[in-house]
Amino acid sequence: TGRGIAKDEKLALQHFSKAAELGNGLAIQVIADAHLKGLMGLGAAPRDNAAAVAAFKRAADKGHLPAAEALLRAYTEGGFGLNADTAQAAKWQARVAELRKQRAAAPPAKAKP
């Protein structure tokens, strides 16, 4: 974003990519969004729906609820280059429900001092 330092989208993409490789769900979703929206230096490349869907799936597999919800919407309504698919939508609806249940059962995060 360039807050406090010079904006460098290429370097930001490298950092998010490294975090995504290490399994950080939010970083994986950021990479997916970058592919869809042409962010972080990916604007010169054509929109890469397949890479975005693969990233959303990786993030959802890591337990990232917003990524699972994005896939549910895509398979329900069609999106990210995917056709509506009731079987896939049902699969992602179950995954979303599972992740929401896990989130509700998790102890609240401790406040940082």
Side-chain angles (χ1 to χ4, degrees):
T1 62
R3 290 187 210 146
I5 60 172
K7 185 173 180 174
D8 186 336
E9 290 185 339
K10 185 176 179 180
L11 185 58
L13 180 61
Q14 290 174 1
H15 286 296
F16 277 110
S17 295
K18 180 65 175 175
E21 289 170 18
L22 295 172
N24 182 279
L26 179 57
I28 296 168
Q29 181 161 352
V30 168
I31 297 297
D33 287 339
H35 282 291
L36 291 172
K37 298 174 184 173
L39 303 173
M40 291 191 282
L42 296 175
R47 179 180 168 140
D48 193 342
N49 287 324
V53 169
F56 279 128
K57 286 180 179 179
R58 280 194 354 256
D61 288 344
K62 297 288 182 183
H64 191 64
L65 179 59
E69 290 171 333
L71 288 166
L72 171 59
R73 280 190 306 279
Y75 282 113
T76 300
E77 304 165 3
F80 310 137
L82 301 170
N83 293 321
D85 182 325
T86 55
Q88 285 294 318
K91 172 189 167 188
W92 288 105
Q93 178 63 48
R95 181 67 174 143
V96 165
E98 175 188 340
L99 291 173
R100 286 180 179 158
K101 184 177 177 181
Q102 289 172 3
R103 186 177 276 189
K110 293 183 179 181
K112 294 182 181 181

